[in-house]
Amino acid sequence: MDFVGSHILSVDQFGREDVERLFAVADDMRIYADRARITRVLQGAILSNMFFEPSTRTRISFGCAFNLLGGDVRETTELKASSLAKGESLYDTARVLSGYSDIIVMRHPEAGSVAEFAAASRVPVINAGDGPNEHPSQALLDLYTILKEMESRGRGIDGLRIALVGDLKYGRAVHSLCKLLGMYDNIHYKLTSPIGLGAPAEMIEGLKARGHEVREYDQLEPGIHNVDILYVTRTQEERFPTQEDADRYRGLFRLNNAIYTENCEPNTVIMHPLPRDSRTEARELDDDLFQNPNLAIFRQTDNGVLIRMALFALVLDVAQNVHNHAQPVTWYTARRFTKV
Ligand code: CP
């Protein structure tokens, strides 16, 4: 894959070598994300960060990643704050914005919308989530986290045993992660979801066709035994036809410390793309897991900055120059010493 000038729309664009290259650049970014040094390699560059759906970590971490490389960020949050609300097309919006920007990150509620936007853009576009379809940068940071967690246990990714739990129908992070893991050898997937929220059949068939083992469960406990990674997701209530439809699923699968201890191996890594639904009646991932060192959710969010910096550096062709623009940090920063 040639990163330079490319749109990043789907995990299907990536092969193992591409991922390894991205991850090597992400490793290089850690000193900047940790505020041990600063770099100004993208000084003068402008990111348009267009989020037409709610977001905390994807929007802010893309923006921080660009700032950490020295670039400036212009944001539009909410559809109603843009002229799309006046009937302007994605085509016109893309033509206009790409005249103002060096790169665009976009989240939109419709599947395929970011690709449609990218086709009209004159600058690279990164998909930050298009409806229930894909969330490639989330899958890349999840895979990076899985790799780091497994390496710390003396393992790699081939042969990985992973349980994906929750709303596998609408969860775009799951769709992208499952496809990305499919590049590796002999992955054992346990797809664990309430009846009605199972993973798309074509995704399952695709994984089986590549020789992976896929088993489906509609109960939590049997669906989380004997795995290396336990990847929990929120019910994507905003994607259901009606709120009443979504309400039926709230709180059905809840992982807490007692269920984890009883059903999982002592080293099983707990992941979640976040946000968790922390309402009392939902709680798919309980706060009593905070003391568990295998809880990797905030290592995931921190890794998101590294991966997004690496994407910008490769797409804008500055990966080899980042350290040439490095400078010392001149302010007090606790960030360097924080452990998560
Ligand atoms: N994981 C994720 O996409 O989170 P946000 O919706 O907060 O960006």
Side-chain angles (χ1 to χ4, degrees), residues 4-283:
V4 179
S6 291
H7 303 306
I8 306 293
L9 300 175
S10 166
V11 292
D12 291 336
Q13 293 171 248
F14 291 82
R16 280 178 77 149
E17 281 181 12
D18 306 316
V19 164
E20 281 163 18
R21 185 151 170 246
L22 179 76
F23 288 0
V25 177
D27 287 342
D28 268 357
M29 298 298 152
R30 191 171 293 278
I31 56 168
Y32 306 108
D34 284 351
R35 315 296 196 271
R37 305 275 284 166
I38 60 171
T39 179
R40 287 281 163 255
V41 71
L42 285 183
Q43 188 162 29
I46 294 177
L47 161 69
S48 284
N49 219 15
M50 313 295 295
F51 276 72
F52 301 123
E53 273 194 328
S55 170
T56 294
R57 71 229 79 234
T58 311
R59 180 172 67 83
I60 307 284
S61 65
F62 264 121
C64 285
F66 209 74
N67 288 149
L68 285 166
L69 291 167
D72 292 315
V73 182
R74 297 282 175 270
E75 292 207 300
T76 299
T77 56
E78 290 195 288
L79 206 120
K80 68 178 186 217
S82 88
S83 287
L84 288 166
K86 302 178 202 164
E88 188 165 42
S89 65
L90 283 174
Y91 180 92
D92 286 3
T93 308
R95 299 301 291 177
V96 172
L97 283 175
S98 54
Y100 304 156
S101 325
D102 296 282
I103 190 163
I104 298 171
V105 171
M106 185 172 172
R107 172 174 286 188
H108 192 283
E110 300 295 327
S113 54
V114 182
E116 182 186 337
F117 181 92
S121 172
R122 292 173 277 169
V123 299
V125 174
I126 300 181
N127 181 3
D130 60 326
N133 186 35
E134 278 230 34
H135 194 346
S137 66
Q138 178 71 47
L140 290 162
L141 78 86
D142 287 339
L143 182 63
Y144 183 77
T145 304
I146 291 171
L147 181 67
K148 296 294 174 194
E149 297 291 324
M150 296 312 291
E151 280 178 350
S152 75
R153 290 158 174 77
R155 294 267 314 278
I157 295 184
D158 290 323
L160 188 82
R161 303 166 302 159
I162 182 167
L164 298 119
V165 176
D167 178 359
L168 308 186
K169 179 179 181 181
Y170 295 114
R172 59 192 173 199
V174 167
H175 300 164
S176 291
L177 179 59
C178 282
K179 282 204 277 183
L180 199 54
L181 278 170
M183 293 187 309
Y184 292 82
D185 296 331
N186 195 27
I187 305 296
H188 303 265
Y189 297 88
K190 293 182 102 168
L191 304 181
T192 303
S193 58
I195 292 169
L197 294 187
E202 62 273 19
M203 188 189 91
I204 296 174
E205 290 315 311
L207 297 174
K208 286 181 177 170
R210 296 179 81 155
H212 303 298
E213 180 186 82
V214 183
R215 295 191 179 188
E216 292 184 87
Y217 298 84
D218 59 19
Q219 299 294 319
L220 180 63
E221 280 84 352
I224 60 177
H225 284 160
N226 302 325
V227 291
D228 305 301
I229 305 286
L230 181 48
Y231 190 97
V232 181
T233 64
R234 175 181 67 92
T235 305
Q236 310 281 304
E237 296 194 2
E238 65 276 26
R239 311 242 177 264
F240 284 71
T242 67
Q243 187 58 48
E244 212 173 39
D245 290 320
D247 288 346
R248 288 188 288 134
Y249 294 101
R250 189 173 307 133
L252 285 186
F253 284 9
R254 295 163 178 246
L255 183 73
N256 58 29
N257 205 38
I259 293 173
Y260 175 89
T261 307
E262 199 170 314
N263 294 281
C264 296
E265 295 173 0
N267 262 341
T268 297
V269 181
I270 307 162
M271 296 176 64
H272 191 305
L274 302 182
R276 299 183 281 163
D277 188 339
S278 290
R279 290 174 293 179
T280 313
E281 66 275 21
R283 293 254 166 110

